[in-house]
């Protein structure tokens, strides 16, 4: 519990309007976008508008052992912004400026509270893109996506958030302000703190500035849809495309459960009897894109695609991606609770993983729809359930355990892009072993000795 | 000093032939490829052939506070393998296997002692490349280049070593064996230990296995040479090429001092009166490469290139790159000592940096030849001197100080690709501040509390 004295000090630092304590406000910050998680109100919500204020808040919290939960838009999917130990929720939403767009050096400098899409819009006139493309691009903040190291649809060709973070400004738990990395493409000065803080889930410091790398926008793209009556054929197709040296910007898969649900929800004309569809996009220079699209078509047909469509216009392209974007909302409306995972396996193991998911659904008598980023092995098995059905939830938890067990046994990982947070903390040792987790704990303890930053999470 | 008892224990772990103590052997491990560095013999050199042996050695060293200096081929350029505090040099050269090439998942798993070029040769039949391309590719080991995070000629388009390291197996200072990352493109499970240990210069753990990302080999490439009578025109050309959305695989610059020296050394037909030459290569799919080469030509001519050559055959291409490769050996034969730096600035600041280097040379009455990776702002100012000339060396040291001061004031970094090690340790705070260096020290202390790994270096 935060004392009156601490509250007064916070008001002194921030002004009255930026310190929220009403029950309505606290409830709004007691959960995030993650399903099947505990709800916990913070003691206070603060909304600083400068790094100087953040430094003061952090010092106060560190001296008094008060937890700080840094929060952007709360769109994460691992319970990472839930203030499980109470204390302070620190919202970054007022630190939302684009500090600089440097087209010559292909970089931009932004504040953490900036919504990703605002950056995309600002750099479009320069013919540049910021490739990380999480599904929540219209709501998620840059700070949140750096802290979670978001993935997205373009990971296969373009990589994930960490591949585009060149430098950070960070307030450390003791109030020190540090700068990591910078504007140069090459930088090997000391430990790579930029990469350490990217994906650290707000447990090591509070990010106050971000330098990102931008790249030229592709001049041309082509979307494609391939339909399969056998999930193995879809898996072989994925492998063959890569083997033929084509790296699509996007290569998504949807299984039969997802196809049926999407079609029922949005009537875009998907083949409801298909076992799998692949949605693909190649991009780049026009001549190359056309050549690559041809190679993809040949491979899909050779592997027995029962239907293959090329989106030749922007509208047709839009239709292909509308189907993919509908996957999660469509699945989410089937049942009250949607448990969305992001177990990831090496690309070649996707057919095995898809088969295992089918068996797990059968074994625990659950509805599981699977879609995801097949190109990089990052699947989203989605369990459709009801959190109020205690008996079913028990089976859900057993199924989730088994999903992670299989993913790791196939050489995969607990999390391709959602992070660990609260939701997957208990599985950490399965992937990293006691020794590996211990290394992370030592780093945490060294940099945040009082454990004030995002306590109760994976580390 | 290592006691007889410790030596006996080492012999027990490794066998007699893998424990070297003769003076000739110790002298061979007392220096590395870095100029103007102290020489220090270790007490013993060990050459383990398994990770189990490494674990035993590390445990023994940790219990007895004995320094361990891990060493591949010793080609680094920051004094990182010099055993300044004596103790053990641990050579990785017997751990040199390619464990697996997984063409389907575009990965390879290798041991640290493998020479980079051996990997390149092994993956060539699969039509794949490992893009990091340090100048020492024929001698440097994978473990060394991961620990130093090597850069190279292809950094602009393809990035540096850390962009291709997917997972590591590491022996920690307490003897724990941990695994980081893996074979999946996406992995956000916990802190990114893979990136933390890449570029950690052997101060946090001993790498025993490396999983690297491979990419399809470009099908076509085109080399070009542009000559300028004004260094600013070359700088503008670099900026314009990027602005026009062409990202060459290589974009190298040589200044007049370097041009003259190279021509004098290797007679490849360089224009000795030119103020700067740019050496460029675009690669990828043939149609695109031809189009990009055309754009590059137009930009070079528009910016006043007084000569422009396209290498149309492999022989012509070879000639272009022979000139670039001759830069360091040519400069090195002018004087007995070659102090090679790698100060790096944002691309747009290259003209300013080049001008500053000229002024520094004049101010301290030194011969400085500059060449380097202009595309990524990574220059190699090279001071031609004589370590036995104490008076001149004083001026050299002042000039080096000033080079780093200018680089940092231009928003640059101490090291683009060579690392900090012993050579640049004293400059660390200039870039990271007291607070930033303190963060690195805390991490080091947490993971290596007895300070046994590569002591006396940057952290």
């Amino acid at each position: 519990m935060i004392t009156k004295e601490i509250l007064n000090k916070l008001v002194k630092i921030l002004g009255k309007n930026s310190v929220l304590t009403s029950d309505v406000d606290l409830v709004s910050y007691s959960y995030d976008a993650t399903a099947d998680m505990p709800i916990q109100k913070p003691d206070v919500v603060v909304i600083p508008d400068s790094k100087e204020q953040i430094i003061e808040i952090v010092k106060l919290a560190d001296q008094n052992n008060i937890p700080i939960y840094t929060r952007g838009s709360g769109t994460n999917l691992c319970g990472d912004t839930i203030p499980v130990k109470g204390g302070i929720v620190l919202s970054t939403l007022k630190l939302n400026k684009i500090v600089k767009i440097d087209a010559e050096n292909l970089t931009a400098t932004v504040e953490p509270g900036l919504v990703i899409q605002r950056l995309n819009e600002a750099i479009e006139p320069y013919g540049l893109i910021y490739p990380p493309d999480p599904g929540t691009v219209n709501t998620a903040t840059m700070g949140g996506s750096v802290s979670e190291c978001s993935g997205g649809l373009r990971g296969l060709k373009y990589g994930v958030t960490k591949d585009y973070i060149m430098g950070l400004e960070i307030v450390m738990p003791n109030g020190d302000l540090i700068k990591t990395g910078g504007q140069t493409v090459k930088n090997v000065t000391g430990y790579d703190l930029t990469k350490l803080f990217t994906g650290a889930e707000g447990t090591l410091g509070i990010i106050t500035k971000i330098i990102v790398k931008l790249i030229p926008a592709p001049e041309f793209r082509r979307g494609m849809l391939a339909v399969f009556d056998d999930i193995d054929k879809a898996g072989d197709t994925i492998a063959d495309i890569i083997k033929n040296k084509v790296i699509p910007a996007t290569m998504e898969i949807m299984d039969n459960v997802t196809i049926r649900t999407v079609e029922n929800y949005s009537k875009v004309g998907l083949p409801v009897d298909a076992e799998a569809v692949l949605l693909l996009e190649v991009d780049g220079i026009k001549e190359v894109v056309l050549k690559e699209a041809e190679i993809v078509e040949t491979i899909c047909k050779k592997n027995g695609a029962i239907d293959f469509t090329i989106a030749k216009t922007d509208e047709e392209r839009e239709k292909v991606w509308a189907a993919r974007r509908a996957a999660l909302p469509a699945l989410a409306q089937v049942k009250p609770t949607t448990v969305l995972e992001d177990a990831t396996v090496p690309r070649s193991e996707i057919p095995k993983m898809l088969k295992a998911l089918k068996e797990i659904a059968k074994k625990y008598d659950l509805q599981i729809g699977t879609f995801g980023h097949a190109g990089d092995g990052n699947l989203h098995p989605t369990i459709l359930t009801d959190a109020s059905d205690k008996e079913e939830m028990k089976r859900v938890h057993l199924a989730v355990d088994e999903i992670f067990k299989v993913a790791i046994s196939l050489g995969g990982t607990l999390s391709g892009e959602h992070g660990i947070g609260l939701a997957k903390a208990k599985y950490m040792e399965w992937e990293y072993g006691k020794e590996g987790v211990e290394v992370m704990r030592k780093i945490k303890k060294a940099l945040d000795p009082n454990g004030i930053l995002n306590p109760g999470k994976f580390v």
Side-chain angles (χ1 to χ4, degrees), chain A residues 118-170:
Chain A
R118 296 293 89 72
L119 173 63
N120 294 341
E121 288 159 5
I123 58 179
E124 206 194 336
Y126 298 89
L128 298 172
I129 61 167
Y130 169 68
D133 184 32
T136 50
V137 67
N138 283 305
T139 41
T141 62
M142 288 296 298
S145 72
V146 171
S147 292
E148 300 295 324
C149 189
S150 309
L153 295 181
R154 296 193 284 218
L156 171 59
K157 181 170 178 179
Y158 292 107
V160 297
T161 297
K162 75 175 123 197
D163 299 313
Y164 294 89
I165 307 305
M166 299 177 73
L168 295 171
E169 180 187 77
I170 303 159

Side-chain angles (χ1 to χ4, degrees), chain A residues 102-285:
Chain A
D102 184 343
E104 203 169 343
N105 289 307
L106 299 181
T107 66
T109 307
V110 304
E111 291 185 333
L114 183 78
V115 168
I116 304 171
Q117 184 59 14
R118 296 293 89 72
L119 173 63
N120 294 341
E121 288 159 5
I123 58 179
E124 206 194 336
Y126 298 89
L128 298 172
I129 61 167
Y130 169 68
D133 184 32
T136 50
V137 67
N138 283 305
T139 41
T141 62
M142 288 296 298
S145 72
V146 171
S147 292
E148 300 295 324
C149 189
S150 309
L153 295 181
R154 296 193 284 218
L156 171 59
K157 181 170 178 179
Y158 292 107
V160 297
T161 297
K162 75 175 123 197
D163 299 313
Y164 294 89
I165 307 305
M166 299 177 73
L168 295 171
E169 180 187 77
I170 303 159
V171 176
M172 296 300 298
N174 63 0
D176 279 353
L177 186 75
I178 67 164
K179 280 175 194 172
T180 73
Q183 285 221 75
T184 59
V185 180
K186 287 180 173 174
N187 181 328
V188 294
T189 299
Y191 300 142
D192 192 341
L193 298 181
T194 307
K195 295 283 193 283
L196 179 64
F197 283 88
T198 302
E201 304 186 5
T203 62
L204 297 180
I206 298 177
I207 295 167
T208 51
K209 216 176 273 169
I210 304 160
I211 304 174
V212 299
K213 179 175 149 185
L214 308 173
I215 63 167
E219 66 168 51
F220 193 77
R221 47 196 184 180
R222 186 127 276 187
M224 292 163 278
L225 180 87
V227 181
F228 295 88
D229 58 4
D230 177 344
I231 212 147
D232 277 356
K233 290 180 188 168
D236 291 344
T237 303
I238 294 163
D240 279 359
I241 289 171
I242 304 285
K243 258 190 220 152
N244 279 275
K245 314 274 181 316
V246 176
I247 311 283
T250 342
M251 181 146 63
E252 299 285 308
I253 195 166
M254 295 199 292
D255 73 351
N256 179 268
V257 174
T258 310
I259 296 168
R260 279 178 188 275
T261 315
V262 169
E263 187 51 26
N264 183 42
Y265 174 76
S266 64
K267 313 280 179 222
V268 285
L270 289 178
V272 293
D273 294 327
E275 274 304 303
V277 296
L278 290 182
L279 302 101
L280 298 118
E281 186 160 287
V282 285
D283 69 5
I285 289 174

Side-chain angles (χ1 to χ4, degrees), chain A residues 6 10 55-68 88 173 450 452:
Chain A
I6 299 283
L10 286 172
I55 291 171
E56 290 308 308
I57 297 163
V58 168
K59 281 183 181 166
L60 183 68
D62 198 41
Q63 283 154 11
N64 295 280
N65 280 300
I66 302 165
I68 297 182
I88 300 169
N450 298 324
I452 61 161

Side-chain angles (χ1 to χ4, degrees), chain A residues 26-27 29-31 38-43 82-87 89:
Chain A
L26 299 185
V27 167
Y29 292 88
S30 66
Y31 59 95
I39 284 173
Q40 171 66 51
K41 282 188 291 182
D43 296 313
I82 302 173
V84 281
K85 310 242 176 210
V89 163

Side-chain angles (χ1 to χ4, degrees), chain A residues 3 28 35 37 52 88 105 131 139 164 177 186 288 356 386 389:
Chain A
T3 62
S28 312
M37 284 285 114
E52 289 75 19
I88 300 169
N105 289 307
T139 41
Y164 294 89
L177 186 75
K186 287 180 173 174
V288 184
D386 182 348
D389 181 342

